[in-house]
């Protein structure tokens, strides 16, 4: 049986590139049939990566059959995985998120979670000396994943090891990291094709604070004005998205990668309170700038209060 | 803060030795203060290991404080861990069991689960070249863990890697594997000091089949008659233990390490049905021999039916 390798729903660069990397490893090095698949359309940066490195877009699946062999990368959260994930035969998990519980396996399997910025970094570590066999396109995908998750080493999730791996890849590919990252971020920043609801769900995780359920959405961009120009309709759309997704409030953080700050949209008093209690901010209008805030994992989720 | 390193409740050899090994590594190689602790009295084989290698018996703890830094080894099951485990600061998990869900971490941490027979094998892999620094006592502890979990390579959980690591350790220690394993198993087989209830709980995991909750207990021994001579009082004690522990039935498998078979006690019709449906056995009296059955993980739990 061909093993399916996939990341989380609403695939970003790491959840698109890391399955491709691991499926390559299983096929080409381990001699075990594997296919990278996606749980949805890749975002614009992930699509840029595929095109830039001439990688075919993985097939999109909607669920997994009972007993389907699969490898889960870049998440361990059942809510971000196919509905039938606990009916599938999960054979390995490679991730860099906190353990949320809920995912079960049928037997002892390979699980590797590391507190690194990017799943692709962990994957290259697991490959060890076999990374020498990586073709250029795979190195390019890995580099893109690491630069994406670290926001070119600006995010506080960045570790020296992520950086060293990325710099070595760039060196081998003869790429200038800054030039290449600028291309990536320009691709990610072009969100003109997305509806407001799509933008609110593009890079989003649900998180509860006491009894209040939030959809915590982050848009990383080098052109924040492209998003902020649409703030009125985005704020209107938040009500519908929250209702449809069964949460109390959508929080949208527009992360300016170059200025290293986030702008939080403030549609109502609940979000105003969140801004005050979580970040010590004092919103006056319908947006508030949070200097230095770039990481949902390290800076937003751990501080969230209502 | 000193990090506490511990395995599961009712500590066996691997859950006693692996915390000692990892705490040694954190203290002596990583320069990070750590203490191996136990969640209960070690079993007789684990006690033999401590005495044989002149290792002090780790302190026994009953729970962990909020925010206590800890490393969990040889389990990922909250039911086998301190009641407040999700209030503690779990910093790493090293294990070889299936993921059961329920354990949560506050942030991304190091999690290494491998389908190997023994946690100590994984720990030595994680140490890499630093295993060269292991003092004799630590090598002895690791060897004891691997021989215990593999039943001297007889258990179907044994992988070639576990075996290779153990044989290398024995070679470095100048020990004959068979002679040393015989000493270990003799220690494990002397269960005269335990009450019936203690024996039923010594190496035991709860497992549900449909609506029926079992306590699946295994006693590995080279002297099965020591246990089977007590079968009448053990079967009497099953009722009390099941009631106290909130399960429907205790199943006791007496594993004969040398003959490579298990004897299941059959106190009533429920267990008779289990023996028939799970193992195709046809019990006639109050015990039934299951040829080749040695591993709860690989042979008992996956087949359990009522």
């Amino acid at each position: 049986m061909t093993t399916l390798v996939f990341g989380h729903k609403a695939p970003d660069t790491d959840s698109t590139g890391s399955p491709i990397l691991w499926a390559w490893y299983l096929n080409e090095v381990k001699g075990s049939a594997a296919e990278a698949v996606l749980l949805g359309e890749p975002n614009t940066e992930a699509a840029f990566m595929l095109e830039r490195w001439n990688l075919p877009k993985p097939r999109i699946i909607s669920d997994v059959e009972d007993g389907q062999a699969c490898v889960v990368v870049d998440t361990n959260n059942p809510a971000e995985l196919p509905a039938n994930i606990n009916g599938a035969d999960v054979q390995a998990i490679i991730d860099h998120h906190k353990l949320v519980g809920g995912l079960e396996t049928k037997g002892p399997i390979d699980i590797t979670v590391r507190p690194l910025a990017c799943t692709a970094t962990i994957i290259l570590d697991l490959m060890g000396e076999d990374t020498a066999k990586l073709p250029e396109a795979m190195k390019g995908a890995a580099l893109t994943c690491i630069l994406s998750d670290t926001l070119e080493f600006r995010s506080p999730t960045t570790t020296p090891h992520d950086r060293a791996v990325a710099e070595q890849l760039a060196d081998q590919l003869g790429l200038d990291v800054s030039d290449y990252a600028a291309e990536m971020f320009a691709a990610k920043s072009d969100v003109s094709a997305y509806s407001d609801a799509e933008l609110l769900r593009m890079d989003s995780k649900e998180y509860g604070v006491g009894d209040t359920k939030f959809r915590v959405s982050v848009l990383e961009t080098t052109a924040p004005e492209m998003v902020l120009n649409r703030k009125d309709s985005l704020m209107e759309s938040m009500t519908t998205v929250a209702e449809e997704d069964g949460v109390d409030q959508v929080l949208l953080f527009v992360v300016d990668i170059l200025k290293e700050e986030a702008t939080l949209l403030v549609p109502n008093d609940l979000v105003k309170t969140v801004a005050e209690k979580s970040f010590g901010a004092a919103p006056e209008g319908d947006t508030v700038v949070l200097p230095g805030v770039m990481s949902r994992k390290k800076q937003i989720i751990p501080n969230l209060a209502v």
Side-chain angles (χ1 to χ4, degrees), chain A:
Chain A
M1 183 194 287
T2 299
T3 300
L4 299 183
V5 187
F6 47 82
H8 54 71
K9 289 180 186 171
D12 57 7
T13 303
D14 195 27
S15 261
T16 303
S18 285
I20 292 173
L21 283 160
W22 195 249
W24 172 85
Y25 182 62
L26 291 179
N27 281 315
E28 303 300 326
V29 180
K30 292 290 179 185
S32 165
E35 179 190 5
V37 295
L38 292 169
L39 304 186
E41 281 294 335
N43 74 12
T44 47
E45 188 186 69
F48 161 83
M49 170 182 69
L50 297 174
E51 202 182 326
R52 173 67 176 78
W53 298 100
N54 204 20
L55 293 162
K57 186 174 110 176
R59 184 164 66 91
I60 296 176
I61 63 166
S62 54
D63 206 348
V64 285
E65 303 273 327
D66 279 336
Q68 170 64 53
C70 47
V71 173
V72 172
V73 304
D74 196 27
T75 181
N76 67 77
N77 187 349
E80 301 177 350
L81 287 165
N84 192 37
I85 191 68
N86 279 337
D89 178 17
V90 179
Q91 301 194 325
I93 301 168
I94 307 167
D95 188 24
H96 64 128
H97 294 90
K98 69 175 184 174
L99 197 62
V100 297
L103 197 59
E104 295 163 22
T105 67
K106 304 212 182 305
I109 64 165
D110 279 294
I111 304 178
T112 306
V113 181
R114 296 286 177 265
L116 295 172
C118 180
T119 307
T121 309
I122 304 169
I123 283 179
L124 265 57
D125 287 348
L126 288 171
M127 289 181 184
E129 294 179 359
D130 292 320
T131 50
K133 301 174 188 161
L134 283 168
E136 196 166 73
M138 293 298 150
K139 291 182 181 176
L143 174 65
T144 316
C145 290
I146 301 174
L147 292 176
S148 170
D149 271 3
T150 62
L151 299 173
E152 196 192 348
F153 317 134
R154 292 179 180 90
S155 169
T157 59
T158 311
T159 70
H161 184 56
D162 293 288
R163 183 169 191 144
V165 171
E167 286 175 342
Q168 190 180 27
L169 289 166
D171 191 51
Q172 290 171 3
L173 291 164
L175 282 179
D176 178 272
V177 164
S178 295
D179 291 350
Y180 182 66
E183 275 187 77
M184 287 170 48
F185 297 151
K188 172 151 51 184
S189 302
D190 180 7
V191 294
S192 53
Y194 292 102
S195 71
D196 291 327
E198 283 170 337
L199 276 190
L200 293 176
R201 290 187 178 113
M202 190 147 64
D203 181 357
S204 184
K205 290 191 195 288
E206 291 185 17
Y207 187 76
V209 181
D211 290 338
T212 313
K213 277 196 268 184
F214 292 105
R215 182 176 263 294
V216 184
S217 301
V218 169
L219 288 175
E220 298 158 348
T221 176
T222 50
E225 66 284 359
M226 272 196 78
V227 181
L228 294 174
N229 286 344
R230 291 165 63 175
K231 72 179 158 65
D232 292 343
S233 63
L234 280 164
M235 285 191 287
E236 263 184 53
S237 183
M238 281 179 181
T239 315
T240 326
V241 167
E243 270 177 26
E244 286 178 7
D245 297 354
V247 300
D248 297 300
Q249 180 65 49
V250 178
L251 301 175
L252 179 61
F253 296 83
V254 183
V255 170
D256 186 328
I257 301 173
L258 304 178
K259 280 182 148 174
E260 306 196 7
E261 66 184 25
T263 300
L264 172 64
L265 301 203
V266 185
N268 55 34
D269 282 350
L270 172 60
V271 181
K272 191 168 180 234
T273 308
V274 168
E276 289 163 354
K277 291 207 182 169
S278 313
F279 307 103
E284 295 200 343
D286 55 8
T287 61
V288 63
V289 173
L290 307 171
V293 171
M294 307 190 78
S295 164
R296 176 171 46 212
K297 191 194 271 183
K298 285 259 188 188
Q299 297 169 302
I300 296 173
I301 294 285
N303 290 316
L304 218 54
V306 285

